[in-house]
Amino acid sequence: MQETTAVEADVLARNNVTVLGPAGARPMLFAHGFGCSQEMWRHVVPGFAEDHRVVLFDHVGAGGSQLDAYDRRKYDTLHGYADDILEIIEALDLQDVVYVGHSVSAMMGVLAAIRDPSRFGALVLVGPSPRYIDDGDYRGGFSRTDIEGLLDTLDANYLGWSSAIAPIITGNADRPELGEELTESFCRTDPEIAGHFARVTFLSDNRRDLEEVTVPTLVIQTREDAIAPTSVGEYVHERIAGSAFTLLDATGHTPNLSEPGKLTEAIRAFLS
């Protein structure tokens, strides 16, 4: 293995990169969603770590990443995060990567794979949404007024917003511990960074990018998702040529927490 350069070491430290599994095995890169960290994959990773080189990381501004590296100009679009993903892949010299992106990280992976498809072997998009705001015949699940109200509430009272929105995101009202975990994750995020990231996330529009994806892709959607409705998952599937679509027998926007076994099985079936 080649010695890590100072630049590569900086990339890995900045994004709090964790590498598990056998060296030389096919790499899987797991990317977390808004307000989360790599910890959100802890129930899924064991299903792949024995026969894959599993790579986990925290987006800059989240989890154990270097918060002082957060640059509002760089991260004013999802392209900044896509740049980070490619830097991680290059720093570890990964090839034939299986990229698993949850929520907003799904579109980050799309952008990264369009930029350099040679590094990617497959995309797995969990609860993706190319646009959250309704637009003509397109139904993203929210009106612009909905999103503006959500963002205003977040800015005014981030902790209160976190405790109110997290149970809606996770769904599964009979399992309140899921919402509590997501609330705690949100509350560990710097409010200013979270507010900026939320605006970038909920005001983004990556619909046109979908048709540029050339990497084999699996779109995974749960039956009931308050953040990315089934119709959105179907839209992504229809726009990415040759993609596969799995409607998971699960509810909520975080199947990596609520149904990790079913999520693992769906990914395994796609990769087999």
Side-chain angles (χ1 to χ4, degrees), residues 49-270:
E50 288 189 4
D51 59 353
H52 287 80
R53 191 67 163 166
V54 171
V55 180
L56 301 158
F57 71 99
D58 296 326
H59 291 302
V60 172
S65 68
Q66 294 178 347
L67 299 187
D68 58 359
Y70 192 83
D71 182 340
R72 289 180 68 95
R73 291 171 298 178
K74 175 179 179 179
Y75 298 113
D76 207 36
T77 73
L78 297 184
H79 288 278
Y81 297 96
D83 289 343
D84 285 351
I85 290 166
L86 290 173
E87 286 186 353
I88 292 169
I89 290 173
E90 291 166 5
L92 294 173
D93 193 23
L94 304 179
Q95 303 290 338
D96 193 28
V97 175
V98 178
Y99 175 90
V100 185
H102 173 236
S103 194
V104 65
S105 284
M107 289 303 111
M108 297 173 188
V110 163
L111 295 174
I114 292 171
R115 188 91 53 81
D116 187 2
S118 68
R119 291 280 189 173
F120 294 83
L123 295 178
V124 178
L125 312 180
V126 183
S129 178
R131 178 183 168 100
Y132 294 89
I133 299 175
D134 299 337
D135 181 30
D137 294 335
Y138 174 80
R139 287 289 172 264
F142 300 88
S143 68
R144 179 164 290 277
T145 300
D146 290 335
I147 293 298
E148 290 175 350
L150 180 152
L151 296 173
D152 287 345
T153 302
L154 185 156
D155 289 340
N157 181 5
Y158 178 64
L159 296 182
W161 176 88
S162 298
S163 61
I165 197 72
I168 296 173
I169 293 173
T170 57
N172 295 273
D174 58 330
R175 299 167 65 187
E177 68 275 10
L178 300 178
E180 291 168 4
E181 176 173 344
L182 191 59
T183 299
E184 291 175 3
S185 180
F186 283 173
C187 292
R188 288 193 295 268
T189 306
D190 179 274
E192 288 192 12
I193 292 176
H196 185 226
F197 190 14
R199 290 187 179 278
V200 172
T201 296
F202 289 109
L203 298 177
S204 62
D205 187 349
N206 298 104
R207 289 175 293 176
R208 292 184 178 180
D209 298 305
L210 299 177
E211 296 179 359
E212 296 185 46
V213 175
T214 58
V215 176
T217 301
L218 170 65
V219 178
I220 298 179
Q221 176 72 48
T222 66
R223 288 187 288 103
E224 297 177 21
D225 186 337
I227 301 299
T230 304
S231 59
V232 174
E234 292 173 342
Y235 179 93
V236 174
H237 166 49
E238 291 168 359
R239 295 305 187 281
I240 297 180
S243 64
F245 179 80
T246 295
L247 184 61
L248 210 62
D249 184 20
T251 59
H253 190 58
T254 54
N256 44 350
L257 293 181
S258 62
E259 296 290 353
K262 293 179 180 178
L263 180 58
T264 298
E265 183 179 342
I267 298 172
R268 280 279 185 187
F270 174 65

